[in-house]
Short mmCIF file of all heavy atoms in Angstrom, two decimals:
data_model
loop_
_atom_site.label_atom_id
_atom_site.label_comp_id
_atom_site.label_asym_id
_atom_site.label_seq_id
_atom_site.Cartn_x
_atom_site.Cartn_y
_atom_site.Cartn_z
N HIS P 3 147.25 67.79 95.26
CA HIS P 3 146.95 69.00 94.53
C HIS P 3 147.93 70.06 94.87
O HIS P 3 148.50 70.13 95.94
CB HIS P 3 145.57 69.43 94.91
CG HIS P 3 144.50 68.56 94.43
ND1 HIS P 3 144.07 68.58 93.15
CD2 HIS P 3 143.76 67.61 95.08
CE1 HIS P 3 143.13 67.62 92.95
NE2 HIS P 3 142.91 67.03 94.14
N VAL P 23 140.30 95.11 118.55
CA VAL P 23 140.03 93.66 118.69
C VAL P 23 141.09 92.95 117.81
O VAL P 23 141.43 93.39 116.69
CB VAL P 23 138.65 93.28 118.11
CG1 VAL P 23 137.62 93.30 119.22
CG2 VAL P 23 138.25 94.07 116.91
N LYS P 24 141.53 91.78 118.34
CA LYS P 24 142.40 90.91 117.51
C LYS P 24 141.47 89.85 116.88
O LYS P 24 140.90 89.04 117.59
CB LYS P 24 143.41 90.17 118.41
CG LYS P 24 144.52 91.08 118.88
CD LYS P 24 145.57 90.26 119.57
CE LYS P 24 146.95 91.01 119.56
NZ LYS P 24 148.04 90.16 119.98
N VAL P 29 147.19 82.98 111.96
CA VAL P 29 146.53 81.95 111.23
C VAL P 29 147.44 81.35 110.13
O VAL P 29 148.11 82.14 109.44
CB VAL P 29 145.24 82.55 110.50
CG1 VAL P 29 144.75 81.64 109.46
CG2 VAL P 29 144.21 82.93 111.54
N ILE P 33 145.62 76.47 100.88
CA ILE P 33 144.47 76.24 100.00
C ILE P 33 145.01 75.49 98.77
O ILE P 33 146.05 75.91 98.20
CB ILE P 33 143.83 77.58 99.57
CG1 ILE P 33 143.46 78.41 100.75
CG2 ILE P 33 142.59 77.29 98.71
CD1 ILE P 33 142.39 77.86 101.66
N THR P 39 137.53 74.09 99.55
CA THR P 39 137.88 74.24 100.96
C THR P 39 136.73 74.92 101.68
O THR P 39 136.33 76.02 101.27
CB THR P 39 139.16 74.93 101.25
OG1 THR P 39 140.18 74.34 100.48
CG2 THR P 39 139.52 75.03 102.69
N LEU P 40 136.20 74.26 102.74
CA LEU P 40 135.16 74.94 103.55
C LEU P 40 135.80 75.55 104.80
O LEU P 40 136.69 74.95 105.40
CB LEU P 40 134.08 73.90 103.98
CG LEU P 40 133.13 73.41 102.93
CD1 LEU P 40 132.19 72.40 103.61
CD2 LEU P 40 132.34 74.54 102.34
N LEU P 41 135.39 76.78 105.09
CA LEU P 41 135.84 77.44 106.27
C LEU P 41 134.64 77.58 107.15
O LEU P 41 133.74 78.26 106.84
CB LEU P 41 136.38 78.81 105.86
CG LEU P 41 137.37 79.56 106.70
CD1 LEU P 41 138.58 78.69 107.00
CD2 LEU P 41 137.80 80.82 106.00
N GLY P 43 132.84 77.57 111.34
CA GLY P 43 133.11 78.00 112.75
C GLY P 43 131.97 78.89 113.21
O GLY P 43 131.17 79.38 112.40
N LEU P 60 141.14 93.03 101.97
CA LEU P 60 141.39 93.53 103.30
C LEU P 60 142.88 93.36 103.59
O LEU P 60 143.45 92.31 103.36
CB LEU P 60 140.56 92.71 104.31
CG LEU P 60 140.39 93.30 105.69
CD1 LEU P 60 139.67 94.69 105.62
CD2 LEU P 60 139.67 92.35 106.56
N SER P 78 150.63 97.11 96.29
CA SER P 78 149.94 98.42 96.45
C SER P 78 148.46 98.18 96.18
O SER P 78 148.05 97.17 95.59
CB SER P 78 150.52 99.44 95.47
OG SER P 78 150.13 99.08 94.20
N PHE P 92 134.30 86.14 92.88
CA PHE P 92 133.62 86.37 94.12
C PHE P 92 132.21 85.94 94.06
O PHE P 92 131.45 86.12 93.06
CB PHE P 92 133.58 87.89 94.47
CG PHE P 92 134.94 88.45 94.85
CD1 PHE P 92 135.83 88.86 93.90
CD2 PHE P 92 135.26 88.55 96.18
CE1 PHE P 92 137.09 89.35 94.25
CE2 PHE P 92 136.47 89.10 96.56
CZ PHE P 92 137.43 89.55 95.60
N PHE P 97 124.29 88.05 96.98
CA PHE P 97 124.38 87.95 95.50
C PHE P 97 125.05 89.20 94.90
O PHE P 97 125.88 89.09 94.06
CB PHE P 97 123.01 87.70 94.84
CG PHE P 97 122.12 86.74 95.54
CD1 PHE P 97 120.75 86.99 95.65
CD2 PHE P 97 122.58 85.58 96.15
CE1 PHE P 97 119.90 86.13 96.28
CE2 PHE P 97 121.74 84.69 96.81
CZ PHE P 97 120.39 84.98 96.88
N LEU P 100 123.59 93.62 90.11
CA LEU P 100 123.16 94.99 89.84
C LEU P 100 121.70 94.90 89.38
O LEU P 100 121.43 94.31 88.38
CB LEU P 100 124.03 95.68 88.83
CG LEU P 100 125.20 96.43 89.45
CD1 LEU P 100 126.19 95.47 90.06
CD2 LEU P 100 125.86 97.32 88.43
N THR P 102 119.62 96.84 87.98
CA THR P 102 119.15 97.44 86.79
C THR P 102 119.79 96.83 85.53
O THR P 102 119.64 97.29 84.39
CB THR P 102 119.45 98.97 86.72
OG1 THR P 102 120.87 99.17 86.91
CG2 THR P 102 118.75 99.66 87.86
N ALA P 110 128.48 89.51 82.61
CA ALA P 110 129.55 90.01 81.78
C ALA P 110 130.49 90.99 82.53
O ALA P 110 131.62 91.29 82.05
CB ALA P 110 128.95 90.74 80.57
N LEU P 124 129.41 89.52 76.25
CA LEU P 124 128.05 89.03 76.30
C LEU P 124 127.91 87.60 75.81
O LEU P 124 127.14 86.82 76.41
CB LEU P 124 127.13 89.95 75.49
CG LEU P 124 125.66 89.98 75.89
CD1 LEU P 124 125.57 90.48 77.34
CD2 LEU P 124 124.87 90.86 74.90
N ALA P 127 129.11 85.46 78.53
CA ALA P 127 128.20 85.54 79.67
C ALA P 127 127.09 84.57 79.39
O ALA P 127 126.59 83.79 80.30
CB ALA P 127 127.69 86.94 79.84
N VAL P 155 123.21 82.89 88.88
CA VAL P 155 123.73 84.01 88.03
C VAL P 155 125.08 84.49 88.62
O VAL P 155 126.09 84.67 87.92
CB VAL P 155 122.77 85.16 87.96
CG1 VAL P 155 123.41 86.35 87.20
CG2 VAL P 155 121.50 84.76 87.23
N ILE P 157 127.15 82.76 90.39
CA ILE P 157 128.15 81.72 90.12
C ILE P 157 128.67 81.94 88.69
O ILE P 157 129.89 81.96 88.46
CB ILE P 157 127.59 80.31 90.32
CG1 ILE P 157 127.36 80.03 91.78
CG2 ILE P 157 128.56 79.28 89.79
CD1 ILE P 157 126.55 78.75 92.06
N ALA P 160 131.02 84.64 88.69
CA ALA P 160 132.37 84.32 89.30
C ALA P 160 133.17 83.50 88.36
O ALA P 160 134.39 83.49 88.39
CB ALA P 160 132.13 83.60 90.61
N LEU P 194 134.49 73.52 89.90
CA LEU P 194 135.64 72.79 90.38
C LEU P 194 136.47 72.26 89.20
O LEU P 194 135.89 71.57 88.39
CB LEU P 194 135.28 71.71 91.35
CG LEU P 194 136.33 71.37 92.38
CD1 LEU P 194 136.79 72.61 93.13
CD2 LEU P 194 135.75 70.35 93.33
N ILE P 200 138.76 76.68 95.37
CA ILE P 200 137.51 77.30 95.86
C ILE P 200 137.46 77.33 97.39
O ILE P 200 137.82 76.31 98.02
CB ILE P 200 136.29 76.61 95.31
CG1 ILE P 200 136.35 76.53 93.74
CG2 ILE P 200 135.05 77.26 95.73
CD1 ILE P 200 135.23 75.75 93.14
N ARG P 208 124.55 71.73 106.51
CA ARG P 208 123.94 70.83 105.50
C ARG P 208 124.84 70.77 104.26
O ARG P 208 124.65 69.93 103.37
CB ARG P 208 122.54 71.38 105.08
CG ARG P 208 121.50 71.18 106.17
CD ARG P 208 120.28 71.94 105.88
NE ARG P 208 120.64 73.37 105.58
CZ ARG P 208 119.70 74.34 105.55
NH1 ARG P 208 118.44 74.10 105.71
NH2 ARG P 208 120.07 75.57 105.36
N ARG P 223 141.43 81.60 115.29
CA ARG P 223 142.48 80.57 114.97
C ARG P 223 141.87 79.43 114.16
O ARG P 223 140.68 79.13 114.33
CB ARG P 223 143.06 80.01 116.25
CG ARG P 223 143.90 80.91 117.08
CD ARG P 223 144.25 80.25 118.32
NE ARG P 223 144.11 81.17 119.46
CZ ARG P 223 145.07 82.01 119.88
NH1 ARG P 223 146.25 81.95 119.30
NH2 ARG P 223 144.84 82.84 120.87
#
Side-chain angles (χ1 to χ4, degrees):
Chain P
H3 293 281
V23 272
K24 286 188 159 193
V29 170
I33 307 292
T39 304
L40 286 180
L41 202 54
L60 194 63
S78 68
F92 288 84
F97 321 138
L100 272 66
T102 57
L124 204 61
V155 173
I157 291 172
L194 208 51
I200 302 177
R208 290 167 307 193
R223 290 173 224 271

